[in-house]
Structures are given as structure tokens and as C-alpha cells.
Amino acid sequence: MSDTRFDPSTADGRWQKAWDEAQCFRADSKSAKPKSYVLEMFPYPSGRIHIGHVRNYTMGDVLARYKRMTGHEVLHPMGWDAFGMPAENAAMEKGVHPGGWTRDNIANMKAQLKRIGFALDWSRELATCEPEYYGHEQGLFLDLYEAGLVYRKESEVNWDPVDMTVLANEQVIDGKGWRSGAEVEKRKLAQWFLKITDFAEELLDGLGSLENWPDKVRLMQENWIGKSQGLEFSFDLSNGERLPVYSTRPDTIFGASFVAVAADHPVAQSLDSDAARDFIALCKRGGTTAAELETAEKLGFDTGITAKHPFTGADLPVYIANFVLMDYGTGAIMAVPGHDQRDFDFATKYGLPIPRVVAPSAADADKPFDAEAESGEGVLVNSDFLDGMEVEAAKAEVIRRLEEQGRGQGKTVWRLRDWGVSRQRYWGTPIPFIHCESCGVVPAPKDSLPITLPEDVDFKTPGNPLVRHPTWKHVDCPKCGGKAERETDTLDTFVDSSWYFLRFASQPADKPFDREEIAKWLPVEQYIGGIEHAILHLLYARFWTRALAHMGQIEVKEPFASLFTQGMVTHETYSRLEGGKTVYYAPDEISREAERALLKDDGGEVEIGRVIKMSKSKKNVVDPDTIIATYGADAVRWFMLSDSPPERDLPWSEAGIEGCGRFVQRVWRLVSAEMVGDGGDLDLRRKTHKTIVAVAQDIEALSFNKAVARLYELTGAIEKAQPSADRRDATFTLMKLVSPMMPHLAEEAWHRAGGEGLIAEAAWPEHDPAMLVEDEVTIAVQHKGKLRDTLTAPKGASKEALEEMALASEKVQRSLDGAEVRKIIVVPDRLVNIVT
RNA sequence: GCGGGUGUGGCGGAAUGGUAGACGCCGGGGACUUAAAAUCCCCUGUCCUCUGGACGUGUGGGUUCGAGUCCCACCACCCGCACCA
């Protein structure tokens, strides 16, 4: 080791080993210290850690190390979201077993994480693909079944007839399977569902208690749950049937000029004419992509049936309409064109009346519409007994009257659907049920768990290997003992990630978790991950936790007390046209100059594109291993925290990481410098103590970029200071303050400077409150609201003294130029503003 | 279409209604060196008649002694949802 340079290639590994040996990062549940559970969303073991993971885990790591230094017993675990499709794809493409592929990937990624020096409790590592994990998941699934929260029903799926598999919506591109390219069919299959809708109200209300979640995420979940309150009532139809409809605007009932049903509504289906059948087919063909919906024209088909208005007795035409959805409300609506844009468009197209029933005031009852529907507030007009009422009062009145007639009732409708968890795949948790011809669907006995996946499977033939495995599915019925078959569906991987944070608290062999350990560690104080999980993962995990609480297995209801969603790591792109095609080049193929970028291969200039999310197709990716090998783990960690606020995107740049590498060496040189000297340095001491407080606040607020800026400032101040006892103290303090961010450098420097033990186990420095108080302050002097001069005054100087000093300033006098002073505003210790 | 967010130097970004641009990157100049790397020092919003001054936080208004910050309207970009009655 050279004296003048810090060498991460030897130091990083040395300290990682030292932390391992000292077991610094083990969480002790017997500890009396206050606990802190810091968790980052666990990764899918794709094989390589990418730079986004590095940013995510560095943030959590800084917080975890800081919490440990401030006297907390920290739980900071790591695991693997190890089931899922990519493993099966690899099996099909490369002929490797999903299990072997996954476990190899885990080993690689674990080694990568260790090279970054994360303060993780590896003794609690888990992988969801191991029976020790998913066996307990099967047990929990059976518990949920017992509690009435699991059921089976027929449901429509996207079926790929070539791959013989069910596709997620995202895997259907232009109506074709993403892998096979075959036309996707809609098939009805019996599938397993979790009754998340039972918890809709709770999940919605619970959002209110999650003050430390981003408003954005709470809003997204609120919209997803989609509570709406309105009225369900029935029309009498001319064919003698009754047609229930749902409306959130019952107040506008006198404005209804037609009734519309969905194409797959029974009323539509019962029509016996070719024209009707053709129209229904036309509706079904309609695409569901964003662009198609945007331009979709409102289309309708007059059924010839009429509906009797419950108050006026008028006969309203019943249409089949392509914009009415079967799976929301009752699949039928009363259409009020004047006050709903869709109904307005439809009525305009088909020449139906557009009556006004809400107006700004009673005098505007006949005000014409301005080419669009008015859905706002106002008073009711042209509405018989509702005339003159406000919207809210009118809603209540209509509901009251229809309830009285026994024709309808107030009703709450949710957008949230039950959670379909069946996947017709191999690499997932087997659903613990058995199908018996005589007993039906029977839960697997708990003592038969875990139901493990067979190892001897092949992926050469399409379809689910569990279905065609020669022996696996054949079992005796646990009820009657006769021949029966196992369920061959496996669970959605979102189930795996719905409780892993509970399993981290303790890992008993005979049960999913230990009640007391959950009580000790949960909730997670700080959960960090990507915004892409704002809805599904976070909603499912909240549901699963509440369901367990509902069954009395745990106390905690909300698993994540505080949530942080970090931004992406981005990079500019490099490309040029070659033979009419845009060819992208990777950053390491480029030599980047100030204004331009040249290809290393042939020296040709390439175009520098926008800074965008790193993606393989644009080749704008950097590999964590490479950069760690080049700059060391600490420089990379420091870069991840610098400059950009953590919730925003972070543009990766070669120049930036080099700057971080320089800073690592700057700190190193401070420690190498002479650390003794005479006398004190009050300014530096003040700066040091202010920095202790500020960095602590910044880390707790996750404002790592601000903490970084303050550490640069302190470093600069130490460099400028003459040797002194205060300079020595400042240097030791700096080592501790940077240690959560640059732990290897901090250990090496600490060790070299003669510090005791490991800095990873050191306490956060104490600050002296007296050092935070200035005795002199800078006062800004303004005239006409503009800065004219600044002056130095003793802290706490009187208003009169400050006024006097301000007026004495030559610059101020020049600006005043003899004008009459009308008023002087003095903000003590801050500013004087002279008004003329 | 609905909902949400963001807009500050060449770039990333600081700034309890009180000195806009902290800190970093890039760039320029200098020192050290035979030379380079490394390191150190200085400069670095725009403009002008430059020991000073004017302008300046997407645009236009407003509130205020004082607005990047608060209010109103608009523009641009980004994200989420999407015919949810």
C-alpha cells in the first residue's frame, strides 16, 4: 500500500472480510437498543446486478450504517425473488434447469453485492424458490383458504395455442403471443383468486395512516382501488324484464335520454338478429391499447327495446354501446348526455336529446351546451321535485325516493378486482390443492407440505411440465383415499414478495414466522425501491399483511411505515447511421470529449443522444463490476449518492465517477497529512460540529446529495486549515461522517490514523451545541428590495444598531442618493431593507 | 381526456417569503515537472459605458418592504390511469 494513494483493489476486500469476521451486521433480536428495519426491494436473480440495484442498495446501506452508528439495532437483510418466467425461458433456450440457472445467478449476484460492501445480515438470506420458503407460503395459502379468502372461479385468460401457456396482458402484442407470434385466444379457465376486494375499504382507509409514503404512490393506490358511491336501480323494460343500472350521478336522472348496455350484457346477448350479432362482434374486436381507445368512436346499436323512466314514465331507447363495460357496475347505464362527456358524444352522433338538468343557477335552466357536457357543480333544473336543489342534496333525495319505491338503493362500487394468482407454469410455488373426482377440490393436508416441484422436467415440449410429468400430479385424495390429481397451477410471484419482509424477521423451520419476532421488527422503518412497484407489489403486500392480521397471526397491519421510491440511473446514448440504420454504441466503445464523442474503433464521430434510462437495446449501460474494478466500491457508492436528489433520475457520467475517485483520494490525503499542531481553530471546530448535525439531518431525510455537498465543504475547510488539535478532531470526525457512504476508505483511514476497532462499529460523533451558535452574523442591506451591501454585526444586535450601521454604509448612501427614507424593515440577524 | 409532477448557469443541482446559483462536473488561466500524470492556486450566469452598474430562477399577471419560494392564468416536458357511468 502506497502512502499517498488509497488502493481499493486491496483495501475493499480486506475490510469486507473484517466485517464478515466480526459479524458486525447481524441483527440481534435480543438487543435492548431501539430497532430499525431498513429494507430495499429484493432483486430478481437475473444473473447480474445492474447499476439501478447499486443505487437502490447504496441508499439503504447508508441509512442502515447510519442507524447502527446512532445506537439502533438494525435489521438490513437481503434475499431473492427467485421464481418467475426468465428461468423457464432460459430452460427453453439453453436447456438448463430453472433451479440450477437461478441458484447460479444468485451466487454470482451475491458475490457482486459483497464487492460493493453492503452492510447486510447475510445470515437471514432467503430465496423464494426454496421449499424452506415456499412450503410456508403454501401453508399460509391454506390458512387464507380456511379464512374464506381464497376461491376458484372461471376466468378469461390470454391463451397462446403454440406455447400452450397463459400470457400476461403485457405479453400480448397486437393480439399475438410475444414469443410464439401466434394469435392469442381468449379462454375460460378455472383459476384461483384471493379476495383482496374484501379489504378494499381497509386498504383505502389505511393509506391515510401512511404519512411517510409519497403522495404520488398513495394517490395511485387510491385510484387503483377506485371507490365510487352512487345508486343502483332498475328500469322496467318493454320486453317485461328489469334492467339494473349503476350511476354516480343519480341527481341527473331527469336528464337521462337513453339507456345503454355492454356488448356482452345479457340483454344484448339475448337479441336474435344478425345485425345485433354483427354489432356485438364489432365491439369485441375493438382493441384495448391506449391509442385505440383514444380514437375509439362511440358506437351504438338500437335494440328496439325501451326502458320506462322511474319518475317521468317516459320510454327511453335501449342501445348496445361499445363504451359500456360489462365488468364495472352492472354493465348497464342510464345515459345523461348533458352531464357526461361519453353520453354527450354518443347522443350527438345518434341525434338523441341532450336535456339540461344542472345549471350554474336556476335562471340558466335553458342555457345551451357549449359543445361539451357539463359535469360540474350547480343547481338542479328541469327536474320536477329536484328543482333548485344542490347536486349533493339531489343525489340523496333520488336515492331516498327510489329506495322507498323498492326500486334501488345507494351502493358503493370498487374498481379493484380480486387478485388472480393462478399461473400455468412450472417455476413457481405449487398451489396446495388436490382435485378428486368424488370429493371435488380438496386442500392438501398441512403435514404434506411442502409440496415440492419435481426436478426431472423437460422444457422441450411446450406447455406446463407439471401437467405432463409422469408421476408428480398423481396422489390419493386426502378425504376419500381414492385416485386424485394435484393442482398443476403455481402461484403468481407477487405472492412470494407479499410476505418475504416477514420471513426476514425470523426463519423458524416449522412455521412461516415467529409472532414475537414480527412484533419486535415490524414494521419496516424504511422501504426503498422503484416506483414501478407503486401499485401491485405494494398493494398485494399490504393486503397479505392485513389478511394475516385479520386471521390473528400477526399484529402489524401496515408492513412499510415509510416508503421511498428512488429514481433511475440514466446515461446518454451514442449512435450513428450505418447503411440507413441507426447503430448504437456502448459507453466503453466511445472516447468522450468535451463537445463530441468518437468511436474508439475507427475514430468516427457518433451522435450524442438524450440522457435516458439505461437499456440493453440502446446500449447505454454501465456494468457495476467493471466500474468497481476501475474506481473501487467507495467511488461508485459516492457517485450513487452525489448531485441528484435520490427520487430523481441520476445521469451516469464518466467525468462524474472520476470526480468521485478524486474525492476518495482527497480524503485519504487528509489522513496522511500531519495531524498534530499547536493551538485551536475555532472556525473549523464550528464548521465540524455544524456538519455533524447537518449530515445527520440530511441522511435521515434521505437527502444524500445534500449530505455529500456538506462533506465536500468540510473536507475543503480541513484542507485549508493549519495543523491544530481542532484540525485533527475534524479529520477524525470526517472519517466517521463519510463512513456510511465510503465504508472501505473510512476503515482504512481510521486504521491508519490509529483509531480503535472498526469504524463500522463506532458511534456517530457527538456535537457540541455551543459550537452551532455564531457570535457574528452577516446582514444583507437592501434598498428598494435589491441588495446594496452586506455588513458584519454581532449576533443579536438591536434593530436600531442595525439601522444605523446600514445607513452608515457608503454603498447604501450612494444608492439612496438623498431620497427620503420612508420606512426601514429590520429582520434581526438577517437583513435591513430601506424603503424610499 | 382525467390525475400527478417538474421547469434555476454549458451540465447535475443548492436556497425556513429575506445576500439566487452552495457543492460537484465541464471549461479557462497559472504553479510544480526535463516532460507527463497526479496535485495545488485563481477565474468561470448574461450584458454594459466594468474600483461600478443593469438584467436574471419556463411565460404573463398579482400579493408583499421584499417572491425561485405564495396566488391566478398560460406554455413545455415527464409520469400514472384510461370509455370505471
Side-chain angles (χ1 to χ4, degrees):
Chain A
M1 157 77 54
S2 141
D3 266 7
T4 50
R5 285 190 69 77
F6 171 69
D7 180 13
S9 68
T10 58
D12 285 4
R14 189 163 56 245
W15 295 109
Q16 285 156 17
K17 194 159 160 257
W19 298 326
D20 263 357
E21 282 166 3
Q23 301 200 348
C24 308
F25 308 127
R26 280 233 185 179
D28 175 9
S29 61
K30 304 276 185 315
S31 167
K33 294 180 194 168
K35 67 96 182 180
S36 183
Y37 186 174
V38 178
L39 184 68
E40 300 97 52
M41 292 179 186
F42 68 163
Y44 178 79
S46 60
R48 305 291 297 166
I49 289 290
H50 62 71
I51 197 77
H53 291 128
V54 178
R55 189 179 192 201
N56 186 180
Y57 303 152
T58 301
M59 290 177 188
D61 201 54
V62 170
L63 190 66
R65 286 176 178 269
Y66 167 79
K67 285 286 178 189
R68 185 168 284 110
M69 291 179 84
T70 51
H72 294 82
E73 188 62 33
V74 173
L75 174 56
H76 187 215
M78 181 55 70
W80 309 96
D81 190 10
F83 271 139
M85 283 211 324
E88 289 190 55
N89 294 339
M92 280 183 259
E93 282 159 19
K94 298 174 197 153
V96 292
H97 190 274
W101 183 84
T102 303
R103 291 179 190 107
D104 285 351
N105 287 347
I106 288 174
N108 285 335
M109 291 170 77
K110 185 174 175 181
Q112 282 187 295
L113 292 182
K114 289 212 161 193
R115 283 197 287 276
I116 312 171
F118 292 132
L120 293 163
D121 181 353
W122 284 107
S123 72
R124 293 172 190 250
E125 180 184 5
L126 59 82
T128 58
C129 66
E130 303 301 344
E132 300 84 73
Y133 184 84
Y134 71 72
H136 295 300
E137 188 165 304
Q138 290 167 335
L140 292 173
F141 193 76
L142 292 174
D143 293 342
L144 291 169
Y145 176 77
E146 286 285 305
L149 293 170
V150 171
Y151 68 98
R152 235 163 93 85
K153 77 167 183 199
E154 289 268 314
S155 172
E156 211 166 65
V157 295
N158 304 307
W159 180 258
D160 184 322
V162 171
D163 279 355
M164 304 218 313
T165 186
V166 168
L167 299 176
N169 285 332
E170 312 79 78
Q171 294 166 340
V172 181
I173 299 155
D174 292 332
K176 298 189 169 66
W178 66 295
R179 177 184 291 280
S180 68
E183 194 84 19
V184 169
E185 299 167 8
K186 293 273 179 198
R187 270 208 191 177
K188 288 248 178 186
L189 281 184
Q191 309 235 61
W192 291 94
F193 285 84
L194 285 174
K195 263 195 181 167
I196 191 171
T197 51
D198 272 14
F199 289 77
E201 190 89 61
E202 263 197 56
L203 288 167
L204 181 66
D205 290 348
L207 290 172
S209 71
L210 299 175
E211 290 150 29
N212 293 318
W213 279 39
D215 290 343
K216 182 193 169 101
V217 175
R218 288 196 288 179
L219 195 66
M220 281 164 79
Q221 292 211 350
E222 190 181 320
N223 292 338
W224 187 260
I225 295 168
K227 181 180 187 175
S228 87
Q229 279 165 312
L231 163 72
E232 184 177 315
F233 72 98
S234 293
F235 282 108
D236 290 328
L237 299 184
S238 56
N239 65 6
E241 292 175 21
R242 292 194 111 192
L243 174 66
V245 299
Y246 174 71
S247 173
T248 55
R249 289 297 301 275
D251 56 303
T252 62
I253 193 164
F254 286 92
S257 61
F258 63 101
V259 169
V261 301
D264 32 11
H265 192 280
V267 167
Q269 296 288 328
S270 67
L271 294 179
D272 189 26
S273 82
D274 288 342
R277 276 189 289 269
D278 288 350
F279 181 77
I280 290 167
L282 177 73
C283 289
K284 288 215 158 188
R285 261 206 314 279
T288 51
T289 66
E292 283 168 319
L293 289 173
E294 186 83 40
T295 53
E297 204 186 351
K298 302 281 179 288
L299 295 174
F301 179 86
D302 190 345
T303 61
I305 300 168
T306 59
K308 192 171 280 295
H309 191 286
F311 293 120
T312 67
D315 286 326
L316 305 176
V318 177
Y319 281 80
I320 305 169
N322 66 341
F323 67 91
V324 179
L325 305 173
M326 188 59 218
D327 60 358
Y328 186 82
T330 60
I333 62 165
M334 69 166 194
V336 184
H339 306 284
D340 181 285
Q341 192 57 42
R342 294 156 301 178
D343 300 348
F344 187 94
D345 295 344
F346 191 93
T348 307
K349 183 173 162 87
Y350 291 100
L352 295 158
I354 306 178
R356 171 183 287 281
V357 289
V358 179
S361 74
D364 300 315
D366 300 314
K367 189 172 168 240
F369 287 100
D370 190 16
E372 58 181 24
E374 292 177 18
S375 53
E377 290 295 295
V379 295
L380 274 290
V381 294
N382 307 320
S383 295
D384 193 358
F385 57 86
L386 298 174
D387 281 352
M389 291 173 102
E390 298 281 329
V391 166
E392 284 311 312
K395 281 182 186 174
E397 178 62 15
V398 170
I399 292 171
R400 192 186 66 77
R401 291 212 184 200
L402 285 172
E403 280 179 351
E404 218 169 65
Q405 289 184 25
R407 190 169 267 288
Q409 68 279 319
K411 195 178 174 187
T412 302
V413 167
W414 305 85
R415 186 182 170 278
L416 185 69
R417 300 267 164 273
D418 275 338
W419 176 14
V421 292
S422 280
R423 297 293 180 270
Q424 290 70 33
R425 308 199 159 276
Y426 166 75
W427 196 232
T429 302
I431 295 176
F433 278 84
I434 290 160
H435 300 272
C436 169
E437 270 191 33
S438 37
C439 309
V441 181
V442 183
K446 270 209 160 181
D447 59 16
S448 72
L449 303 184
I451 298 164
T452 55
L453 291 166
E455 285 290 317
D456 52 333
V457 285
D458 84 273
F459 289 89
K460 292 192 187 78
T461 356
N464 184 351
L466 293 178
V467 177
R468 56 169 191 270
H469 189 278
T471 56
W472 185 78
K473 68 179 173 187
H474 301 293
V475 287
D476 294 337
C477 171
K479 234 183 195 168
C480 68
K483 282 200 189 317
E485 287 191 358
R486 288 196 187 286
E487 171 64 63
T488 54
D489 283 358
T490 51
L491 288 172
D492 180 6
T493 57
F494 276 120
V495 175
D496 308 335
S497 55
S498 288
W499 68 285
Y500 77 106
F501 43 88
L502 301 176
R503 182 76 182 165
F504 276 141
S506 66
Q507 299 176 341
D510 59 338
K511 50 187 175 182
F513 38 71
D514 187 281
R515 206 190 164 94
E516 286 72 44
E517 295 289 333
I518 299 281
K520 159 96 188 177
W521 292 108
L522 271 285
V524 174
E525 262 72 31
Q526 185 66 62
Y527 195 35
I528 308 177
I531 186 73
E532 66 272 20
H533 293 113
I535 297 174
L536 296 182
H537 162 56
L538 289 166
L539 194 64
Y540 293 152
R542 292 181 61 219
F543 157 65
W544 194 273
T545 304
R546 278 181 184 269
L548 293 178
H550 174 76
M551 297 188 297
Q553 297 198 10
I554 58 176
E555 308 289 332
V556 65
K557 285 189 171 165
E558 287 291 344
F560 313 121
S562 183
L563 173 72
F564 188 83
T565 55
Q566 97 275 3
M568 295 179 299
V569 182
T570 56
H571 197 295
E572 57 191 21
T573 57
Y574 308 106
S575 64
R576 68 178 177 188
L577 281 171
E578 286 174 18
K581 278 171 73 180
T582 305
V583 178
Y584 286 95
Y585 290 96
D588 58 8
E589 299 175 284
I590 296 295
S591 83
R592 181 76 166 82
E593 297 174 6
E595 302 288 325
R596 52 188 202 149
L598 303 177
L599 193 60
K600 282 177 185 165
D601 254 11
D602 59 12
E605 182 160 357
V606 295
E607 194 183 327
I608 301 171
R610 285 211 314 162
V611 177
I612 54 169
K613 178 183 183 174
M614 288 191 183
S615 79
K616 279 182 190 149
S617 64
K618 299 282 193 296
K619 285 185 125 182
N620 60 336
V621 291
V622 293
D623 173 46
D625 272 357
T626 313
I627 56 179
I628 286 165
T630 311
Y631 300 99
D634 290 337
V636 176
R637 294 170 60 112
W638 189 252
F639 186 92
M640 293 292 115
L641 303 165
S642 300
D643 295 353
S644 288
E647 68 278 10
R648 286 205 217 164
D649 289 351
L650 170 68
W652 177 268
S653 82
E654 206 60 29
I657 182 70
E658 277 168 19
C660 294
R662 279 198 296 272
F663 181 67
V664 171
Q665 300 300 340
R666 252 176 95 187
V667 175
W668 179 248
R669 281 194 300 275
L670 276 184
V671 181
S672 312
E674 192 59 53
M675 287 227 273
V676 289
D678 299 326
D681 186 335
L682 188 59
D683 283 346
L684 182 61
R685 199 149 101 219
R686 286 207 165 112
K687 180 92 189 166
T688 305
H689 285 258
K690 280 184 186 167
T691 305
I692 293 171
V693 174
V695 170
Q697 282 171 353
D698 290 338
I699 291 177
E700 293 199 24
L702 306 185
S703 298
F704 304 111
N705 57 319
K706 292 189 215 169
V708 162
R710 293 184 202 286
L711 290 166
Y712 273 117
E713 281 188 61
L714 180 61
T715 304
I718 298 174
E719 284 168 341
K720 285 193 180 67
Q722 295 301 311
S724 69
D726 285 322
R727 190 181 196 269
R728 185 177 186 282
D729 287 348
T731 308
F732 272 85
T733 299
L734 178 68
M735 286 183 240
K736 287 185 184 170
L737 298 186
V738 299
S739 70
M741 297 148 181
M742 307 199 292
H744 310 88
L745 169 78
E747 293 290 2
E748 188 80 10
W750 184 253
H751 179 68
R752 182 191 171 101
E756 292 278 311
L758 288 167
I759 206 165
E761 295 181 323
W764 191 253
E766 300 273 340
H767 74 274
D768 176 359
M771 286 295 112
L772 305 183
V773 185
E774 293 287 358
D775 42 27
E776 278 190 338
V777 289
T778 306
I779 305 289
V781 184
Q782 297 180 332
H783 171 220
K784 291 193 272 193
K786 288 201 166 46
L787 183 73
R788 302 297 164 179
D789 199 5
T790 57
L791 30 105
T792 305
K795 188 176 169 66
S798 71
K799 286 195 171 196
E800 293 70 23
L802 290 174
E803 269 182 36
E804 200 176 313
M805 285 172 76
L807 289 168
S809 156
E810 190 193 322
K811 287 177 182 173
V812 170
Q813 282 303 326
R814 204 181 316 141
S815 173
L816 285 173
D817 195 23
E820 183 200 351
V821 175
R822 289 197 296 145
K823 193 175 172 188
I824 300 182
I825 286 132
V826 180
V827 182
D829 293 335
R830 288 217 83 117
L831 138 157
V832 178
N833 189 6
I834 301 164
V835 186
T836 55

